[in-house]
Amino acid sequence: MTMELNLETKKNAGVTIIAVGGEVDLYSSPRLRDAILKAGSGPRPRMVICLAEVTYMDSSGVATLVEGLQLCNEKFGAFALCSLTQPVQGVLELARLDRVFVIFNDEAEAHSWVQQKT
Amino acid sequence: MKEQYLPDNTFELRISSQPRLLRMVRTVAGQMCELAGMVERDVHDVVLAVDEACTNIIRHSYDGQADMPIEIRFRILPEGLEISLRDFGTKIDAKKLRESARRDAYPRNHKGLRPGGLGLRFIGQIFDHVHYDTSLQEGTRLTLLKNRHSRETSGETESEEDK
């Protein structure tokens, strides 16, 4: 089971895709936050956060995702999540935020939505 | 001098308030849940809530200091699992906590969301009994009880202030 936080950032047709793996908690969430803030530093940021390899997420991880959503909204960009694992789905449901984020089953769908959104 | 051991239904951790140790705490919490005979969904929820409680201690009771003590005790009871977390930092304001938990209970959107607020809500939703003891000379003791056959996580838990 992946324990450490793994991040991979790539760009595809103007959309930044951040693939997250491992455990997102108080210790590791600052790295995810830094990656999201960097991706959102330009005008009208378009971002997909792929969570297919996330094995654990707590409220600090959720707050980081919320921050990314708020950043993109403020800049008239687009923000989507994709490939949620059960731990991520569970914590978003517990936080009652599963209806707040735009969520897709896979990266391709998320990318397509974000690309045409702005 | 004869060593004194804890009863075999009890396990204690004493760690420093370093965020990198949260993973270990989660592992221990998960193992204790399994020893207590909890179903998988409850194991996941308890692990999350214990993590959140430790996170709140690090963030708020110790204001981010990484060299302060946190004592965690797990006790397997006939009815389930009792977990207590003791810190020696800034005392919790239990009244403010209850107000905050009620206010954050049903967010309509993400605006104004606070990580600490979420953690408190998780703790209240997941555990059947939540008790903050602020009568201690230093810090706070948080006692949590998860019944083996618990209610749905629908915010029906009771939260008490120590009298």
Side-chain angles (χ1 to χ4, degrees):
Chain A
M1 183 172 72
T2 307
M3 297 287 193
E4 299 288 335
L5 185 71
N6 298 310
L7 294 174
E8 189 185 310
T9 302
K10 60 185 180 185
K11 205 135 183 181
N12 181 359
V15 176
T16 302
I17 299 155
I18 301 175
V20 188
E23 300 185 5
V24 188
D25 65 3
L26 179 66
Y27 179 63
S28 60
S29 61
R31 284 184 51 210
L32 175 58
R33 183 176 184 269
D34 287 345
I36 288 175
L37 292 181
K38 186 177 177 184
S41 59
R44 302 178 82 107
R46 294 180 290 174
M47 226 181 286
V48 171
I49 313 299
C50 180
L51 300 161
E53 303 294 323
V54 174
T55 53
Y56 177 82
M57 180 176 286
D58 66 8
S59 64
S60 59
V62 172
T64 301
L65 296 178
V66 169
E67 192 170 358
L69 174 64
Q70 291 171 336
L71 175 64
C72 288
N73 284 350
E74 282 161 15
K75 289 187 169 189
F76 305 102
F79 186 88
L81 309 178
C82 73
S83 312
L84 269 58
T85 56
Q86 182 52 44
V88 177
Q89 182 71 35
V91 75
L92 288 182
E93 286 174 4
L94 210 51
R96 295 186 171 92
L97 290 173
D98 50 313
R99 304 283 176 96
V100 170
F101 289 102
V102 176
I103 299 172
F104 294 94
N105 288 331
D106 63 52
E107 186 182 306
E109 284 179 17
H111 183 275
S112 178
W113 180 83
V114 165
Q115 198 176 19
Q116 59 84 32
K117 184 80 171 56
T118 57
Chain B
M1 191 174 178
K2 190 178 177 183
E3 292 277 357
Q4 291 196 326
Y5 297 98
L6 296 170
D8 61 5
N9 68 334
T10 303
F11 187 84
E12 279 187 352
L13 282 179
R14 186 180 167 95
I15 61 169
S16 63
S17 52
Q18 295 190 38
R20 67 182 174 86
L21 297 180
L22 289 173
R23 197 172 82 196
M24 184 205 59
V25 173
R26 292 195 295 269
T27 300
V28 172
Q31 291 294 316
M32 293 305 298
C33 286
E34 292 189 15
L35 278 175
M38 294 196 167
V39 299
E40 190 179 336
R41 174 60 193 256
D42 285 348
V43 173
H44 175 265
D45 286 351
V46 167
V47 167
L48 174 64
V50 171
D51 173 290
E52 298 288 355
C54 289
T55 295
N56 282 346
I57 288 172
I58 293 170
R59 272 197 163 130
H60 304 297
S61 301
Y62 289 139
D63 197 26
Q65 293 177 78
D67 57 351
M68 303 301 289
I70 302 176
E71 295 174 352
I72 308 169
R73 173 180 277 209
F74 300 87
R75 270 204 318 156
I76 299 173
L77 303 176
E79 61 268 38
L81 182 64
E82 180 190 82
I83 302 166
S84 70
L85 298 101
R86 173 87 163 91
D87 71 77
F88 301 83
T90 304
K91 285 180 184 292
I92 291 284
D93 184 332
K95 187 181 173 191
K96 265 191 186 173
L97 278 183
R98 287 199 300 275
E99 287 167 0
S100 169
R102 271 190 228 110
R103 185 183 63 234
D104 294 339
Y106 299 100
R108 299 222 175 134
N109 53 49
H110 57 279
K111 291 173 186 174
L113 187 68
R114 299 167 300 116
L118 264 185
L120 288 175
R121 187 178 351 131
F122 291 169
I123 291 166
Q125 283 177 240
I126 287 166
F127 283 97
D128 297 287
H129 178 80
V130 178
H131 182 109
Y132 290 93
D133 181 358
T134 55
S135 68
L136 308 164
Q137 195 166 4
E138 284 180 285
T140 303
R141 177 181 287 115
L142 168 62
T143 303
L144 308 165
L145 175 65
K146 179 71 174 174
N147 293 328
R148 195 170 284 107
H149 302 291
S150 65
R151 291 163 283 177
E152 293 290 326
T153 55
S154 57
E156 293 178 6
T157 55
E158 292 178 9
S159 185
E160 297 175 26
E161 181 179 14
D162 185 49
K163 293 179 183 170

